[in-house]
Amino acid sequence: LAWLYVLRNDPRSLTVLEKAQQLRAERDMPAEVMAMLEQAWGEYWRRAGELRRALEHKHRALNLYERLGDRRSVLATYTNLGPIYGQLKEFDRAIDYAQRVIAAAERISLEPEMLCSVHLNLGATYFWQDRYDDAIHQYGLGLDLAQRAKLSLHIRRSHYNLAEAHYKKFQITREPEHERLGDAHTAAALALAEREGDSARTDATRKLK
């Protein structure tokens, strides 16, 4: 329940998390439940902007998943760790966690949503480093995966990110092709945002250029 509240930015999330934490102190809990609680705390603090506190909980969850041998949850936690390290400008660690997931996808089957998120997160890390060509490449891989899996949220995010990266390239190179591609991805992102009735995202997309 706390996890669902956190994902919806519902203020009740803190109350439920604190109740769960109290129960944890009062009785033994299975490791998988403790890991879920640590993940929920990590996401709560990430959304609150407390990135170091978020990392503490995410790494506790990671340690528990590794002990349990829960490979899927280990990879999901890698996926979540990358953007946090990126926001902290610890880019090498952000890239490392993303590449671990991408390497795993060459050996085992991963959910398209996870792999798409990793490519988009890695693209964002490159974008923050002003490595726009690398960012565009990763965003493109994410868009391709999202379209094949029909992940509407990821498709919109991919178009938005690609528009932003192409506009940055246009500012630097003044090559008309980057402006054209930026405009095309902006139009695609706008169409999806308007269809979903997301006014905030619609406004942000219109301001990209």
Side-chain angles (χ1 to χ4, degrees):
L1 182 61
W3 178 253
L4 292 175
Y5 283 152
V6 168
L7 294 182
R8 296 172 184 172
N9 295 314
D10 190 313
R12 289 174 288 183
S13 59
L14 181 58
T15 300
V16 180
L17 279 169
E18 288 174 339
K19 288 181 179 179
Q21 193 70 31
Q22 183 179 353
L23 287 171
R24 178 181 180 176
E26 294 172 355
R27 66 190 71 183
D28 291 332
M29 287 188 181
E32 57 267 27
V33 176
M34 290 193 293
M36 185 184 299
L37 180 57
E38 293 292 355
Q39 282 280 42
W41 272 119
E43 186 62 18
Y44 173 82
W45 289 119
R46 186 190 73 81
R47 290 171 181 248
E50 297 279 350
L51 300 182
R52 292 294 178 189
R53 296 184 75 171
L55 283 176
E56 289 177 15
H57 290 284
K58 293 287 185 183
H59 277 289
R60 287 175 193 160
L62 179 61
N63 290 337
L64 287 164
Y65 289 134
E66 288 174 339
R67 280 165 41 194
L68 288 165
D70 186 345
R71 184 61 177 166
R72 190 267 171 203
S73 295
V74 166
L75 293 172
T77 307
Y78 287 166
T79 303
N80 295 332
L81 283 168
I84 299 175
Y85 278 115
Q87 286 179 268
L88 289 168
K89 301 188 185 306
E90 296 183 24
F91 299 125
D92 288 345
R93 299 193 73 173
I95 292 168
D96 176 61
Y97 280 114
Q99 290 179 337
R100 291 187 196 188
V101 180
I102 293 169
E106 297 175 358
R107 303 187 303 272
I108 60 175
S109 177
L110 297 180
E111 301 99 311
E113 185 173 3
M114 183 190 298
L115 190 54
C116 179
S117 293
V118 167
H119 282 297
L120 295 181
N121 292 342
L122 182 55
T125 300
Y126 289 140
F127 183 88
W128 291 331
Q129 294 179 291
D130 300 334
R131 295 169 59 180
Y132 301 122
D133 289 328
D134 291 329
I136 288 168
H137 176 65
Q138 293 298 324
Y139 292 154
L141 293 174
L143 177 59
D144 182 59
L145 282 166
Q147 289 175 329
R148 283 191 277 127
K150 298 180 180 179
L151 302 171
S152 60
L153 177 64
H154 293 72
I155 292 171
R156 174 163 58 80
R157 182 182 166 198
S158 299
H159 281 303
Y160 181 96
N161 291 353
L162 280 163
E164 187 176 35
H166 278 294
Y167 285 144
K168 282 291 187 182
K169 282 291 293 184
F170 176 65
Q171 288 176 0
I172 295 167
T173 67
R174 311 311 295 178
E175 294 176 10
E177 180 65 4
H178 285 297
E179 182 180 33
R180 185 190 69 78
L181 289 168
D183 290 343
H185 287 297
T186 295
L190 270 175
L192 289 168
E194 290 170 352
R195 186 186 310 165
E196 295 165 7
D198 189 337
S199 58
R201 181 58 64 184
T202 297
D203 291 342
T205 304
R206 285 181 177 143
K207 294 174 182 175
L208 267 175
K209 192 171 183 180

